[in-house]
Amino acid sequence: MDSRVHHAVEQLKSGGVRMTPQRYAILQFLMESHEHPTADDIFRALSPQYPSLSVATVYNNLKLFVDAGLIRELTYGDDSSRFDSDLSDHYHAICTRCGTMVDFDHPPVRDVEEAAARKTGFTVHGHRMEVYGLCPACAALRS
């Protein structure tokens, strides 16, 4: 078992959460994915192995994992939240054509948070940054 999956399972168990095979499969899928899947992506990937899996089960478990601090929900104003198990400070590049989302590292932009706090009086808890463009595959189609 991947150490991240093992740690997440232990955290859930210590919180009194029973680990069902479906819950474990959803968690493992998220921890191993670099694709930032939607709930529907997860359902489509796992339903062949788990015929009794429902979309509602996927959504309920995603909420449980978000509430437990194991994953992040990435919302972008539409109905297709994506989920990220990488909780480190990182940013995303998003293809405006196909929706592919790719992580990239960059030094945290703390000065933006500090400027926002100074200019607005807000107590800033964090920020999110995305860059938009065409992924290499979509850019090649335009050539």
Side-chain angles (χ1 to χ4, degrees):
M1 178 186 326
D2 178 308
S3 65
R4 289 181 52 212
V5 175
H6 177 74
H7 175 73
V9 166
E10 291 305 312
Q11 183 177 335
L12 289 169
K13 283 182 178 177
S14 71
V17 174
R18 192 170 62 88
M19 286 308 295
T20 64
Q22 292 176 337
R23 182 168 288 149
Y24 181 84
I26 294 166
L27 184 62
Q28 184 174 26
F29 183 88
L30 284 163
M31 294 289 172
E32 293 175 354
S33 175
H34 299 286
E35 304 295 317
H36 308 88
T38 64
D40 288 337
D41 293 337
I42 297 166
F43 173 74
R44 280 193 303 274
L46 296 178
S47 60
Q49 299 99 308
Y50 299 90
S52 63
L53 182 68
S54 69
V55 175
T57 298
V58 173
Y59 275 104
N60 290 337
N61 280 288
L62 290 170
K63 181 178 179 353
L64 175 76
F65 300 155
V66 168
D67 291 347
L70 297 174
I71 63 171
R72 245 184 229 149
E73 182 176 7
L74 307 173
T75 56
Y76 294 96
D78 58 11
D79 291 332
S80 60
S81 290
R82 292 179 173 269
F83 296 89
D84 192 351
S85 66
D86 181 352
L87 301 178
S88 68
D89 285 334
H90 68 278
Y91 301 107
H92 298 106
I94 303 168
C95 181
T96 55
R97 183 167 188 209
C98 71
T100 295
M101 185 181 297
V102 178
D103 292 344
F104 70 93
D105 291 321
H106 186 277
V109 190
R110 304 266 183 249
D111 57 331
V112 172
E113 290 181 1
E114 292 164 8
R118 277 192 314 276
K119 292 182 181 195
T120 65
F122 278 44
T123 301
V124 177
H125 298 289
H127 68 278
R128 180 172 80 182
M129 180 178 74
E130 297 93 30
V131 296
Y132 298 92
L134 294 176
C135 68
C138 289
L141 291 174
R142 290 183 76 173
S143 300

